[in-house]
Amino acid sequence: MSELLTREQYHAIASDLQLPTQSFIDGRFRPALSGKTLPTINPATGEVLTNIAACSAEDVDFAVNKARAAFDDGRWSSLHPGERKAVLLKLAELMEQNSRELAVLESLDSGKPVAECETVDVPETIHFIRWHAESTDKIYDQTAPVGSDAVAMVVREPIGVVGAVLPWNFPLLMLGWKLGPALAAGCTVVLKPAIQTSLTALRVAELAHEAGLPNGVLNVITGRGSEVGAAIGRHPDVDMVTFTGSTETGRLFLNYAAESNLKEVVLECGGKNPCIVLDDAEDLDAVAEHVVAAAFWNMGENCSAGSRLIVHENIKDALLERVCAHTREWRTGDPLDPANKLGALVDKGHFDKVVSYLNRGKEDGHTLLLGGELMEGNFVPPTIFDGVKNGDALAREEIFGPILVVITVASVEEAIAVANDTDYGLAASVFTANAKKALRAARAIRAGTVTVNCFGEGDATTPFGGYKQSGFGGRDNSLHAHDQYTQLKTVWIDLS
Ligand SMILES: NC(=O)C1=CN([C@@H]2O[C@H](COP(=O)(O)OP(=O)(O)OC[C@H]3O[C@@H](n4cnc5c(N)ncnc54)[C@H](O)[C@@H]3O)[C@@H](O)[C@H]2O)C=CC1
Ligand code: BAL
């Protein structure tokens, strides 16, 4: 990673950026067939950054036909795995060469702090693409144990045309999570970024073309979810949809699939994730750092944010003192200032939603420990409410902003019961010095990822996805991600 720059230097880079404006279909940029455009706004300033193509079902049809043709003629799926790997590694290399530009573009378009984009989003996206590229020529098919009179091969084949529908909170990273395994498996892709954050996906499509990805293999199509997303979900020639976003929109994709071609659907949806701190947790200062990162990283715009702190009454005061102290170090402001750890919320609509929860917290009589004040623009500083019960709105609903609620418990059993008392089941953290308690809690908590004595989401090697209403149909990351993008065929050969 190169050194971080100064605020002035980031602003200078931002003002010189060439912003992509058109969709990328079949190897080149194209306007929407209707010619319509939509503004994309800088969340930090409210200014129009540029206008992007406002595509519709017609454009989706065009892109899917190109992706279908590219899949069916085998220009990508029939390549030797080593050749696919070489193209994907080249893409990773080009992204690395352009990493600063990608980081600034991501920050400008999404409001994320540029330091995070430079140190996490861009390098991690490259790492995920590289990791899956490397897997291309290392995954073996199987033979079944059917005796000596037959050979039964279990062959993994690419599923076909993938519709990838992305959220705005990690535009590049989610692209990496989906594209890496989909392209490694030999699929072709029609990718729809969130309307707020389309720019980096368009730039990656251009870089992928430069890396040698054949035309039609990766198509990035911009526009409204209700038009472009729905048209992808309903298209009869899309073989599967991989989606990350809200549970509410995720549900729609199940309807779209049922109403069209029964395409496979994988959903990675919301969370209201518990962060449990038991009274034997060691090094409360380190615990507090994890709690703060879990709650406020990426402005809390994170499906796996630890937004419910469930703390044992015996250590509550000592922990909260440290949590507040660390939170005060998380400065909020200009995303292009590398000293800021929180940038802008993604848009005014989302800001209003988060503010409504701030107001709700106050109206419901919770104790405001920190934050709660508003700044000019779409900025909300980290806020902590104590005295929250798990039945309260702030503890049940996904706020997706920098608001942490504190729930006090008197035992490990109560902590686990509270942790599980939610519609969601994406992630959880447990802090304790007792290994038995940690493992018992990890098993008892109904969530796809449980971290012990740390906050995190695993890495490229570990599956990521949710239990209950946090997920459906498969996992991102690790070799298990390849299951989303492949299907199994049995080839039975009679030897008798
Ligand atoms: N789990 C996660 O990672 C995310 C959760 N959220 C949650 O969702 C809330 C609302 O945010 P949104 O931007 O509205 O998320 P969303 O779930 O509606 O958006 C995710 C993707 O779905 C597309 N989409 C939207 N409406 C669609 C439709 N009718 N048919 C097909 N595709 C559609 C969007 O354009 C975007 O690409 C947030 O406040 C947050 O609580 C939002 C983004 C990511
Ligand atoms: N935390 C990565 C997945 C997501 O927030 O959508």
Side-chain angles (χ1 to χ4, degrees), residues 43-44 110-111 299 301 343-347 350-351 354 378-380 400-402:
S110 66
M299 293 76 73
E301 292 175 340
L345 298 185
V346 75
D347 62 18
H350 186 56
F351 170 82
V354 173
N378 295 333
F379 294 90
V380 174
F400 225 62

Side-chain angles (χ1 to χ4, degrees), residues 391-409:
D392 295 333
L394 263 66
R396 301 212 75 78
E397 294 164 26
E398 188 184 47
I399 301 173
F400 225 62
I403 299 182
L404 173 66
V405 299
V406 182
I407 301 163
T408 310
V409 292

Side-chain angles (χ1 to χ4, degrees), residues 39-74:
T40 189
I41 310 285
N42 178 344
T45 62
E47 287 161 9
V48 175
L49 278 172
T50 188
N51 291 294
I52 54 169
C55 292
S56 64
E58 230 187 330
D59 300 275
V60 170
D61 196 41
F62 181 72
V64 171
N65 288 341
K66 295 298 179 188
R68 179 88 262 157
F71 184 76
D72 288 349
D73 71 14

Side-chain angles (χ1 to χ4, degrees), residues 467-495:
Y467 284 29
K468 301 194 271 182
Q469 293 186 35
S470 289
F472 178 90
R475 290 289 184 262
D476 285 325
N477 305 341
S478 79
L479 292 183
H480 294 283
H482 289 241
D483 296 341
Q484 285 190 44
Y485 305 108
T486 54
Q487 50 195 342
L488 298 180
K489 176 178 281 176
T490 297
V491 181
W492 186 287
I493 305 164
D494 184 11
L495 300 181

Side-chain angles (χ1 to χ4, degrees), residues 95 102-103 106 121-122 125 170-177 200-201 204:
M95 288 177 71
L102 285 169
E106 185 83 325
D121 297 74
V122 173
T125 304
F170 292 96
L172 269 176
L173 200 51
M174 292 307 102
L175 169 146
W177 284 19
T200 46
V204 170

